[in-house]
Amino acid sequence: MITFLSGGTGTPKLIQGFRKILDENQISIIANSADDIWIYGLYVSPDIDTIIYLLSNILDTERFWGIKNDTFNTLKHLNNLGYDTWFNIGDRDLATHIFRTDQIRKGKKLSEITDILRKKLQIDSRIFPSSDTHIETRIITNKGEDIHFQEFWVKQKGEVEIDKIYIKNLNEAEVPEVALKSIDQSDKIIIGPSNPITSIGPIIKLMPIEKRLRKNKERIIAISPIIGKNPVSGPTAKLMKSEGYAISTLEIAKMYQDLCDVFIVHSTDKDLIKPIEKQTNLTVLSENILFKDNIIAKNLASMIINRG
Ligand code: FO1
């Protein structure tokens, strides 16, 4: 069994590779829930939904969010009614949020609702939110505004300057026991190549998760979200810079070194193996980690599994 720590883009692409060689019931995913947002009266869990849609083969893989061939009629009418509809929710996607919000109002936990959703969509893999209670990544801009990560990334197109990033409700968060068990019971745990600040960060900063990872360190493999000097996707560079980190693979290795044993860098970053091994206690391997297609992801999955 393998448990992944995942955001909404890089790691799901890697999971596609694992799906080609493992039974789906051998895959568990702890999904970042700090991107979750209350919007238009509904509770939206973007990273969880991307994984649910991916594993049920309905994800819009061009955008890598939402459902493929979805329409946006409800959103258009909501706009006619005077809403600022900056967060694009498709008509079919909307059904997921209505279902989830209704279940929340009936008292169900996010982990229970996620489990119902994945079963309804015939997904054999287990999917756990990183927190059962609402946590959210917030950005304080250089103008002193305190905004939700989605407002920064979607509404402001990541273009505002960042003063500070913090995770609201982090310390009092309730991590689902099933997610912790999954870490303990897995043969391998993979810290996926997702954004270290707003995707992996909010998962590994949850104290109960951090403790379990430290305990299971020798079975944990992390994959770099940076190739050369460039993050694979999204706002990673801007977010890392604003937190005072250098944009480098070595920096990521240092961030994760107490939580994993093996660190995988891109094949063109072989020259980093020795310096990283010297400056950390990690075993460093190199492989193609730019998942342009599922075959590249499958090759990395085979390499990880065959290492034993
Ligand atoms: N990303 C966008 O760039 N624009 C959107 O309008 C948008 C809407 C959206 C709706 C539902 C959903 O599950 C995800 C959505 N995303 C959208 C993706 C999301 O903002 C982020 O990419 C993830 O939170 C990062 O993992």
Side-chain angles (χ1 to χ4, degrees):
M1 231 259 294
I2 300 197
T3 296
F4 293 84
L5 309 192
S6 180
T9 319
T11 312
K13 286 183 181 170
L14 172 61
I15 293 169
Q16 283 290 65
F18 277 85
R19 284 177 83 198
K20 297 213 170 293
I21 48 177
L22 284 182
D23 284 344
E24 293 205 344
N25 63 12
Q26 292 302 301
I27 295 173
S28 292
I29 300 138
I30 301 176
N32 168 40
S33 59
D35 278 9
D36 290 15
I37 184 166
W38 278 99
I39 190 158
Y40 317 135
L42 299 171
Y43 193 79
V44 182
S45 298
D47 289 356
I48 293 173
D49 289 345
T50 295
I51 290 162
I52 287 180
Y53 296 156
L54 179 83
L55 298 185
S56 56
N57 305 311
I58 59 170
L59 180 70
D60 181 328
T61 48
E62 289 295 311
R63 289 188 297 224
F64 231 79
W65 53 266
I67 296 178
K68 62 182 163 196
N69 303 322
D70 212 347
T71 49
F72 290 84
N73 295 317
T74 312
L75 197 79
K76 276 181 209 143
H77 195 57
L78 203 54
N79 189 256
N80 293 341
L81 297 177
Y83 271 75
D84 178 4
T85 50
W86 58 271
F87 199 64
N88 295 290
I89 293 183
D91 296 323
R92 292 176 70 202
D93 190 17
L94 195 62
T96 305
H97 314 314
I98 293 171
F99 179 87
R100 175 181 291 119
T101 309
D102 188 38
Q103 296 292 318
I104 288 175
R105 294 212 167 102
K106 286 177 176 148
K108 285 239 165 52
K109 290 186 177 196
L110 192 57
S111 55
E112 293 170 324
I113 303 165
T114 307
D115 206 48
I116 299 171
L117 279 168
R118 68 105 189 159
K119 281 182 185 152
K120 284 200 185 288
L121 292 173
Q122 274 121 37
I123 297 169
D124 289 333
S125 300
R126 304 288 304 273
I127 304 165
F128 313 113
S130 54
S131 173
D132 258 334
T133 48
H134 181 66
I135 56 172
E136 65 181 51
T137 301
R138 298 200 61 92
I139 308 270
I140 301 184
T141 70
N142 66 343
K143 290 188 182 133
E145 288 167 312
D146 184 341
I147 57 176
H148 191 288
F149 171 71
Q150 299 294 352
E151 281 181 279
F152 161 76
W153 179 235
V154 178
K155 191 176 183 183
Q156 315 269 17
K157 300 184 171 52
E159 282 163 4
V160 292
E161 293 311 310
I162 302 172
D163 211 28
K164 200 176 158 230
I165 303 168
Y166 71 100
I167 304 158
K168 195 172 156 186
N169 303 332
L170 181 79
N171 295 336
E172 55 273 36
E174 259 177 49
V175 175
E177 199 50 48
V178 275
L180 299 174
K181 249 195 205 142
S182 180
I183 294 176
D184 278 341
Q185 293 172 351
S186 286
D187 303 303
K188 287 186 172 65
I189 300 109
I190 296 187
I191 301 179
S194 291
N195 181 334
I197 307 293
T198 56
S199 298
I200 299 297
I203 305 177
I204 62 178
K205 281 185 185 158
L206 289 160
M207 200 49 83
I209 292 193
E210 194 197 323
K211 267 194 199 156
R212 295 297 165 115
L213 294 178
R214 283 179 189 272
K215 193 179 119 196
N216 292 289
K217 188 175 180 277
E218 73 285 354
R219 287 185 283 122
I220 305 182
I221 299 165
I223 292 131
S224 176
I226 291 185
I227 295 178
K229 289 199 173 357
N230 301 310
V232 179
S233 65
T236 302
K238 189 166 192 167
L239 296 165
M240 283 186 75
K241 212 168 140 205
S242 74
E243 290 289 274
Y245 292 110
I247 320 299
S248 76
T249 306
L250 172 64
E251 192 84 328
I252 303 277
K254 286 181 181 165
M255 286 165 88
Y256 293 164
Q257 66 171 324
D258 294 331
L259 305 178
C260 62
D261 182 43
V262 174
F263 186 67
I264 303 181
V265 302
H266 192 48
S267 10
T268 52
D269 284 335
K270 278 199 180 78
D271 55 329
L272 296 175
I273 295 179
K274 278 206 179 115
I276 297 176
E277 285 191 337
K278 215 168 162 191
Q279 292 185 56
T280 65
N281 47 14
L282 297 165
T283 299
V284 184
L285 307 173
S286 71
E287 189 53 72
N288 188 352
I289 56 168
L290 185 59
F291 311 127
K292 284 196 179 144
D293 57 47
N294 291 342
I295 302 187
I296 298 171
K298 183 184 161 204
N299 288 343
L300 178 61
S302 304
M303 183 264 234
I304 291 173
I305 288 168
N306 293 336
R307 244 189 120 244

